[in-house]
Amino acid sequence: MSTLGTRLAELRHKHGYTLRALAAEAGLSPALLSQLENGTTDPSLSTLRKLAGVFDTSIATLFGDPDAPMVHLSRPGERVRLTAPTGNFAYDRVTPGRGDLEVLHVVMAPGDQSSAEGWAHQSTECAYVISGEVTVELSGERRVLTAGQALTFDSQLPHRYLNASTSQAEMILSVTPPTP
């Protein structure tokens, strides 16, 4: 079972939900919840937001690991993957889930976007572009970042990430406190 799967099962039991009851409350299928708890599928951000809402907690809590080490080595292929809404990109989680900082590695194909509309939450974000071009839509204003550029902003401003170019883009996204 994945860290996320373990936390979901713990929260579900703590709140007294069966798979079916939690699925109904969150507007998800029991099969999807079972797959998430067993670690056989990756969640979309939309799914995480629904589950966090039912548990009246932050998305970060769903990934929180009370046993997270003080020193953590992150390796490719071993990271938790968060998927954006269907048809879009995935975030690879670089940090261990202590709840103080979230660092995500993102590879975006041309046309990828983090969401259809801007989304706001209480955090600070820093987007650092490794390669290609990433458009950050912030309160309706678009800013194009190229390799080596970074944009830091208050996440309470509605925002989203897009790859409006014809080439792949890669970035590191840091969020504190974590609320992707």
Side-chain angles (χ1 to χ4, degrees):
M1 191 180 290
S2 69
T3 301
L4 172 63
T6 301
R7 283 296 291 145
L8 285 176
E10 288 171 355
L11 287 167
R12 182 171 60 79
H13 292 294
K14 178 182 172 184
H15 290 269
Y17 285 109
T18 63
L19 274 175
R20 287 186 189 277
L22 178 57
E25 187 72 21
L28 303 168
S29 74
L32 174 62
L33 289 179
S34 177
Q35 291 170 345
L36 290 172
E37 286 189 7
N38 292 317
T40 59
T41 193
D42 294 320
S44 71
L45 287 176
S46 173
T47 296
L48 293 173
R49 288 176 185 140
K50 289 176 183 177
L51 291 168
V54 169
F55 295 130
D56 193 29
T57 191
S58 70
I59 292 173
T61 301
L62 301 179
F63 291 95
D65 180 0
D67 300 321
M70 293 302 289
V71 176
H72 173 75
L73 174 62
S74 173
R75 293 183 176 95
E78 297 176 5
R79 298 178 181 134
V80 171
R81 176 163 278 198
L82 308 173
T83 56
T86 305
N88 293 304
F89 58 88
Y91 301 90
D92 285 331
R93 188 173 188 218
V94 178
T95 47
R98 287 195 305 259
D100 54 348
L101 171 69
E102 187 82 81
V103 177
L104 305 165
H105 176 250
V106 182
V107 176
M108 301 172 69
D112 278 353
Q113 58 185 0
S114 59
S115 59
E117 298 178 357
W119 184 65
H121 52 94
Q122 291 189 350
S123 295
T124 297
E125 289 189 35
C126 178
Y128 174 82
V129 177
I130 297 169
S131 65
E133 290 182 2
V134 175
T135 300
V136 181
E137 191 173 276
L138 191 58
S139 294
E141 182 181 328
R142 288 185 171 208
R143 298 164 195 236
V144 178
L145 305 179
T146 58
Q149 293 183 324
L151 182 66
T152 303
F153 58 91
D154 184 328
S155 303
Q156 292 182 79
L157 299 171
H159 60 281
R160 68 185 188 129
Y161 300 97
L162 312 107
N163 182 351
S165 75
T166 58
S167 301
Q168 179 175 290
E170 184 177 9
M171 74 173 171
I172 295 292
L173 180 61
S174 300
V175 183
T176 185
T179 311

